[in-house]
Amino acid sequence: MVLGRYLLSALVLSLLGAGLARPTPEDVAELSAPPPARRPQAIYVTSNEVAGNAVVAFKINNDGTLSDGSVTATGGKGGNGFNVNTNSPNSPDALGSQGSVRVVGRHLLVVNAGSNTVTLFEIDADDATKLVMVGKPTYTLGDFPVSVAVSERLQQACVANTGVKAGIACFQITSGGLVALESQLSRVFDLQQTTPPSILKTDISHTVFNDDSTALITTVRSDASHTGLISVYPVLANGRVSTHDVRTFPPRTAMLFGVAPIPGTRDPRTGSSAFVIADPSFGAGLFRISATTGAVATVALTAIPNQNGTCWAAYSPATRSVFVADAGGSTLVEIDPATGAVLQDLHTTVGNLGSIDLVAPANGFVYALSFATDPHLTPAVAVYDVTAGRATARQVQNFRPSAAFRLSNNAQGMAVY
């Protein structure tokens, strides 16, 4: 998370200086081998422009690099959280979240924070950069939506709002568009926020379904006067997400942010599975979270040396590891999801100040939305090759789109098809 244009909050820096002891890792379930997957065809970013939001798609070439693709209007407006330190809209990391654009099956969803809506698109079967809007932008039942969780099994999307009217609303994905599963916001978070939200106050960071869609997991970052929060809403027998959750405040966390569910780690005895969650107050944590009881167990808290804002996390089926992006440094950190240990801390010198979201598809590459040290340059997508396995990441492209596809520092999110 970037607090200010290119500076992190003194709050984060003070937390980093405090230091944290790492707990002894508990035994975790053995990771299952990743299933075969088709070659990824495109990545997607939301422009998040206040005047009019759009999805910007980039083609994934056969060698894993990127090229220009398309720009498709969402029918809504982007938005910016407010930075009280600079007394101005926050940018980069305007939304302060992960999951603002998501793909499920051949559908793509994107939040429109400035108009309190979410837009559903169908992805063309032959050209993944071609998007067709399904229905119309749908009201999210709250203020300032920042993150959307999707489940292919349930054919549902749940949207996290983080303004004055904060909470999560769930929708059925249909051939005609999104259909609300409730008439009002039923999963309320009393954040005591404003609209737009202040980035220095308690805020929702990310909402995501677990690997088998039996629970909805949401992280809430603190203002550092309290610990971070993990919320667990179970999925009921009727396929609906419960309106009652279990909330846990894991000790020695503060700014819990991006969540990476680890496939194949469910323990049938406890209903728990593994998650790596980024937290810029120290690095990243490994947790086991039960979909059955909502219980959260801390396995490891991993301090990442010299990090300045590790906020976003993505699991790679190619390496069976988790990659974490740092908003305050041109780094890519790889985490072992069985122990929480750092496998690689890659620093690059290509002119990027930091990254504000990432994806790690099965093709053995990692794509990170990055902004430049030079304020005259537009954001790029850093492309890393991890096809050689764990701890081998190397940057192979710093893709800066041409003028027709150019992004501003308001750009947010990252998804892949």
Side-chain angles (χ1 to χ4, degrees):
M1 177 177 55
V2 177
L3 307 183
R5 187 169 180 83
Y6 295 115
L7 297 175
L8 280 177
S9 160
L11 175 65
V12 175
L13 297 177
S14 65
L15 286 168
L16 289 170
L20 288 169
R22 184 187 301 176
T24 303
E26 300 173 2
D27 291 334
V28 297
E30 191 70 25
L31 299 180
S32 298
R38 59 168 176 76
R39 183 183 71 81
Q41 300 174 35
I43 64 166
Y44 309 92
V45 176
T46 169
S47 70
N48 192 42
E49 295 292 348
V50 175
N53 196 12
V55 176
V56 184
F58 302 117
K59 294 179 182 178
I60 299 178
N61 303 315
N62 289 335
D63 63 357
T65 61
L66 301 177
S67 56
D68 290 334
S70 67
V71 178
T72 307
T74 68
K77 298 179 180 180
N80 296 72
F82 191 75
N83 188 332
V84 294
N85 282 349
T86 61
N87 197 33
S88 64
N90 198 58
S91 177
D93 191 26
L95 300 181
S97 69
Q98 183 165 341
S100 56
V101 55
R102 294 295 307 274
V103 167
V104 55
R106 278 187 44 228
H107 286 104
L108 178 143
L109 296 96
V110 59
V111 298
N112 303 301
S115 50
N116 301 333
T117 60
V118 59
T119 304
L120 176 69
F121 291 96
E122 184 175 11
I123 301 170
D124 187 88
D126 298 317
D127 183 351
T129 66
K130 291 183 178 179
L131 304 175
V132 176
M133 190 182 299
V134 182
K136 297 179 179 180
T138 303
Y139 175 46
T140 60
L141 306 184
D143 297 333
F144 210 83
V146 295
S147 183
V148 55
V150 293
S151 167
E152 188 165 14
R153 182 176 74 82
L154 301 174
Q155 284 298 293
Q156 288 180 31
C158 294
V159 182
N161 302 274
T162 194
V164 170
K165 195 175 181 180
I168 298 173
C170 294
F171 303 84
Q172 198 72 45
I173 301 170
T174 76
S175 59
L178 296 173
V179 177
L181 294 175
E182 50 255 359
S183 59
Q184 61 183 4
L185 201 62
S186 302
R187 302 164 195 86
V188 175
F189 286 75
D190 183 15
L191 303 179
Q192 300 182 15
Q193 266 288 5
T194 56
T195 302
S198 168
I199 62 169
L200 293 180
K201 291 184 178 180
T202 301
D203 222 350
I204 293 177
S205 302
H206 193 194
T207 190
V208 63
F209 282 98
N210 64 351
D211 184 45
D212 58 2
S213 294
T214 55
L216 181 70
I217 314 298
T218 303
T219 50
V220 177
R221 62 185 182 276
S222 162
D223 60 2
S225 63
H226 303 88
T227 57
L229 165 66
I230 297 175
S231 159
V232 182
Y233 286 98
V235 175
L236 305 175
N238 64 2
R240 300 285 184 90
V241 177
S242 174
T243 56
H244 300 283
D245 65 343
V246 175
R247 299 184 179 185
T248 302
F249 299 85
R252 291 178 289 177
T253 68
M255 305 183 77
L256 291 166
F257 209 98
V259 182
I262 311 304
T265 59
R266 182 178 176 86
D267 184 338
R269 298 168 300 173
T270 64
S272 70
S273 52
F275 296 78
V276 171
I277 303 179
D279 186 325
S281 69
F282 63 92
L286 173 61
F287 303 90
R288 290 198 68 85
I289 302 175
S290 173
T292 306
T293 66
V296 176
T298 301
V299 179
L301 297 180
T302 301
I304 298 176
N306 302 315
Q307 66 91 15
N308 290 313
T310 49
C311 295
W312 297 270
Y315 175 79
S316 168
T319 58
R320 296 166 64 189
S321 59
V322 172
F323 291 91
V324 177
D326 189 338
S330 187
T331 63
L332 184 72
V333 179
E334 185 178 5
I335 303 289
D336 185 342
T339 66
V342 173
L343 296 172
Q344 184 182 15
D345 189 348
L346 176 67
H347 293 252
T348 61
T349 56
V350 294
N352 292 334
L353 183 59
S355 298
I356 56 172
D357 214 333
L358 78 168
V359 288
N363 65 340
F365 288 79
V366 178
Y367 303 92
L369 177 61
S370 306
F371 54 96
T373 52
D374 183 346
H376 299 97
L377 292 177
T378 57
V381 179
V383 181
Y384 301 91
D385 185 342
V386 297
T387 55
R390 289 183 169 191
T392 64
R394 60 188 181 90
Q395 187 168 358
V396 294
Q397 185 186 25
N398 201 52
F399 174 68
R400 207 171 302 279
S402 62
F405 308 92
R406 187 170 295 163
L407 301 167
S408 77
N409 280 335
N410 249 40
Q412 194 87 37
M414 181 75 74
V416 62
Y417 174 81

